[in-house]
Amino acid sequence: MKIYKTILLTAAVVFTTACQSKVKEQKTETTIKKEMAEAVKPTQEDLSNYETAYFASGCFWCVEAIFESVKGIPEVVSGYAGGTEDNPTYEQVGRGLTSHAEAVKVYYDPEVISFTALVQVFFGSHDPTTLNRQGPDRGPQYRSVAFYKNEEEKKIIEGYIQALKDQNVYDGDPITTQVVPFTKFYDAEDYHQDYEKKHPNNSYITNVSIPRLNRFKKNFGEYLKEKIH
């Protein structure tokens, strides 16, 4: 029910974004090339041409897979953000020994997908009412965080949260998502990158990540890339 209400909310909150997307369906040669490039692992030089956004909503294996399924997003990096310690490690963050959260760095093309739409993907792919918990993962390192890099992004995030409250999407449950300024992002260790793709038979992936990704795909089909696993 919560997801269904969120989809209804989308029509009211991001109608302008949806209309803009339809206009852009008249594909130019440049757009076609960008879509083809999404299927190939981009280089750091390629990524320098994109905007970035940062979110945390539980295990980054799950979050990375969700955002990488979305059109206009060529790459997502798993990592750590929101804390004060330098160079955190997975062992430290996972054990709750730092103030960081597991997070993702999303590279996106604003000509294909807006920051508003990214916020919709963020809220539509996890439960923001569970404090310091997402699914089976518990602790502040799994908290819900929407990071903003400027006042416009902050306004978009807070506006969307207010719309969720006004529409009572979560049946009165308080939204616990932190809205905080972005400071620094630390890439996670190499073996965490694309973890869901590389380890499809891992028990956590099959029991938690894949079901979460499939729920998102079922409800946000219009945002999905044409070819996703």
Side-chain angles (χ1 to χ4, degrees):
M1 180 61 72
K2 292 180 180 180
I3 293 177
Y4 176 70
K5 287 183 179 179
T6 303
I7 294 172
L8 291 180
L9 177 65
T10 300
V13 177
V14 294
F15 177 77
T16 301
T17 302
C19 290
Q20 292 172 345
S21 298
K22 290 181 179 178
V23 171
K24 290 170 184 171
E25 285 178 359
Q26 297 178 353
K27 297 180 181 178
T28 64
E29 183 179 352
T30 301
T31 302
I32 293 173
K33 288 182 179 179
K34 286 181 178 179
E35 290 180 349
M36 293 176 64
E38 287 180 341
V40 181
K41 196 73 171 177
T43 65
Q44 199 59 45
E45 182 178 358
D46 294 330
L47 294 176
S48 66
N49 297 315
Y50 294 90
E51 295 291 334
T52 54
Y54 302 84
F55 301 98
S57 58
C59 174
F60 49 27
W61 295 345
C62 304
V63 187
E64 179 189 40
I66 288 169
F67 276 101
E68 285 197 336
S69 72
V70 175
K71 290 183 290 187
I73 298 178
E75 177 70 315
V76 180
V77 179
S78 289
Y80 317 108
T84 57
E85 298 82 3
D86 292 332
N87 304 311
T89 66
Y90 180 67
E91 181 178 0
Q92 292 171 332
V93 176
R95 293 173 60 192
L97 301 179
T98 75
S99 52
H100 288 285
E102 288 194 13
V104 292
K105 179 180 185 179
V106 179
Y107 288 92
Y108 71 100
D109 183 351
E111 293 185 3
V112 179
I113 186 167
S114 66
F115 183 78
T116 300
L118 294 181
V119 172
Q120 181 199 355
V121 169
F122 168 69
F123 281 104
S125 60
H126 81 294
D127 185 351
T129 68
T130 52
L131 180 64
N132 294 334
R133 178 170 64 85
Q134 200 59 217
D137 301 308
R138 299 171 182 268
Q141 64 270 39
Y142 300 112
R143 64 191 183 273
S144 174
V145 189
F147 298 93
Y148 62 87
K149 296 191 298 181
N150 52 56
E151 287 302 309
E152 180 181 0
E153 289 185 352
K154 180 182 180 182
K155 182 178 180 181
I156 290 172
I157 297 167
E158 292 181 339
Y160 197 83
I161 290 176
Q162 188 58 52
L164 291 171
K165 293 178 179 179
D166 291 344
Q167 295 294 322
N168 195 28
V169 170
Y170 300 106
D171 299 323
D173 292 340
I175 294 175
T176 64
T177 299
Q178 296 178 350
V179 181
V180 299
F182 172 73
T183 53
K184 190 167 184 177
F185 180 86
Y186 295 91
D187 290 6
E189 295 80 350
D190 287 345
Y191 70 89
H192 286 296
Q193 309 304 330
D194 297 312
Y195 194 91
E196 184 263 347
K197 291 179 182 177
K198 295 176 181 177
H199 304 277
N201 297 320
N202 176 280
S203 61
Y204 183 93
I205 296 299
T206 58
N207 293 314
V208 181
S209 296
I210 295 299
R212 181 174 170 182
L213 174 60
N214 287 339
R215 286 193 298 271
F216 172 76
K217 288 161 59 177
K218 180 180 179 181
N219 291 287
F220 291 86
E222 71 276 14
Y223 279 174
L224 299 178
K225 295 173 181 173
E226 291 184 5
K227 295 182 179 180
I228 57 172
H229 68 289

